[in-house]
Each structure stands twice: as structure tokens, then as C-alpha cells.
Amino acid sequence: MTDTTESTEGFDLSPNEARVLAVLIEKGFTTPDQYPLSLNAITTGCNQLTGREPVMQLDESEVSEAISSLLARGLVGRYEGARVVKYEHRIRLRHSLPPAEQAIMALLMLRGPQTAGELRSRAERMHRFDDIPTVQAALEHLGEKYPPMVLALPRAPGTKETRYAHLMCGEVDVASAMAAAAPSAPGGLAARVETLEAEVAALRAELHQLKINLGEAD
């Protein structure tokens, strides 16, 4: 009889836990010479300003608490072969994920819902996908796991590509994710139009002033 406990644990991570796990996966690929990571290095990775959505500001106590929870879940392991205790992810063992799927999960946890095309380009430093269908095949496999690890979101109005979200933090707020994916986000279509109109008006004013300066105004 198969024990399904291990396959279902870890799907109610807090945002802090998801960020720590994703950083460990990412850095395992991108900085192998510095991996496993110390508490300080994990904190720095969590608070990066690039490649993060949202940007977070976690202190070491918050990161340490997240690590403790991930250790209890078997998603992180402790490495004590150095003077400083270091940590490594164990998602490959815990959920049987090959490198391609590890990279996808890391990106989804680090940057939120994304299209297959976005995942392919952003995964380059972690895993090279030959083409978009290869990414989609990995996403489909993640979605077919029990329980599923990713979800294909309904297409937002005005969008052509499907976006995918991870399920490591539980159910996804589909309405919010679709709103964020809309071409007019942030602020909605009306706000976007208003902004563009304001920009056009400012350009017209600048052009008019230039004509006055050149003595060409009507």
C-alpha cells in the first residue's frame, strides 16, 4: 500500500516558506560553488530586488523560522560539514522532481504566475529548455501529479497565452491572478487609458511650446 502522506505535505506553505524553498532551488542551480547556503545567504536571496515578485524584506529570524518549518516537512536538509550550518532543498527527493521541473517550481514561487514562454526565458540560468513545448510538457506533468503542483489559469481578457501558478501555498486566488495578468494591470483599463492620454497631452504641450520658441506657433 502506497503512503500518500509525503506526497501531500508541503502544499500549505506560507509565503516566507515558499520564498526560502525557491531561493534554495534557484541558488542550487546558479551558484553551485556556494551551495548549500548559510542563513545569511538565504536571507540575502529572499530579499533580492531582481527576479522577485513580490520583493520581500525578511529578517534572519523570519527566515530561520521558515527553515525550521521546511526542515520539519522534509523539504529542506541541514548540512553541517562546515563551520557555519548550511541548508539545501530536498524537493527533488520529496516530490521526485527532475531539474527542469525544479526550475519551473522555483520561478513560479519566486515570480508568481507566468506563461510557458516567460518560464523558458527566465529559466536559462537554471535549466535550458529547447523550446516552449518542452516547458509545457513539464508544466503538464507537474499539473498531473497527485496532488497537482501547478495550475493553468483561465486566460484573462485580452491575453493570448495561458499563465501557470504554483500550488505550494494552497489554492490560488484565480480572480486576483487574472486581474494581475490583464494587459492593463496595474490599475485597470481605465487607468491605463487615462495614463496614456495624460502622456499624449504632455507631449502635445511640449510640442506647442517648442513651436512657440521657434516662432512657428499658430
Side-chain angles (χ1 to χ4, degrees):
M1 181 175 179
T2 302
D3 181 3
T4 60
T5 302
E6 289 197 357
S7 66
T8 57
E9 286 183 357
F11 290 79
D12 58 348
L13 299 184
S14 70
N16 290 0
E17 291 164 1
R19 177 59 57 92
V20 167
L21 179 60
V23 166
L24 285 170
I25 299 171
E26 176 194 50
K27 301 304 182 184
F29 284 112
T30 61
T31 58
D33 293 342
Q34 301 171 28
Y35 193 82
L37 302 182
S38 65
L39 173 61
N40 180 264
I42 296 171
T43 303
T44 299
C46 287
N47 295 334
Q48 273 184 212
L49 300 179
T50 57
R52 305 289 185 263
E53 178 59 41
V55 172
M56 301 177 78
Q57 287 296 323
L58 304 180
D59 57 39
E60 286 196 356
S61 64
E62 292 174 307
V63 173
S64 180
E65 182 179 349
I67 290 172
S68 295
S69 178
L70 292 168
L71 282 166
R73 296 169 184 266
L75 287 167
V76 165
R78 192 191 312 269
Y79 180 81
E80 302 189 38
R83 291 176 297 173
V84 177
V85 176
K86 295 187 176 183
Y87 304 91
E88 59 188 355
H89 76 84
R90 290 185 175 170
I91 198 167
R92 178 183 66 83
L93 300 174
R94 189 69 166 172
H95 295 295
S96 302
L97 300 187
E101 294 175 14
Q102 291 177 42
I104 287 174
M105 291 303 299
L107 283 170
L108 292 176
M109 287 188 282
L110 288 172
R111 305 186 68 157
Q114 296 161 76
T115 66
E118 289 171 333
L119 288 167
R120 184 194 178 204
S121 63
R122 292 168 179 173
E124 190 69 26
R125 293 182 64 211
M126 290 189 279
H127 179 84
R128 186 180 184 279
F129 290 95
D130 292 333
D131 48 35
I132 291 179
T134 306
V135 181
Q136 292 173 326
L139 286 164
E140 288 174 8
H141 185 256
L142 287 165
E144 292 169 355
K145 291 180 74 68
Y146 180 77
M149 301 183 76
V150 301
L151 172 71
L153 300 173
R155 292 182 186 177
T159 62
K160 297 181 179 180
E161 297 181 80
T162 299
R163 286 157 60 92
Y164 297 84
H166 74 85
L167 295 171
M168 296 301 287
C169 294
E171 294 184 7
V172 176
D173 185 337
V174 175
S176 296
M178 289 179 64
S184 55
L189 179 60
R192 178 64 172 165
V193 171
E194 184 178 347
T195 299
L196 291 173
E197 288 178 342
E199 291 175 355
V200 170
L203 289 172
R204 285 176 174 169
E206 289 179 10
L207 178 60
H208 182 67
Q209 184 61 49
L210 179 60
K211 286 183 176 181
I212 291 177
N213 293 340
L214 295 175
E216 298 179 2
D218 296 334

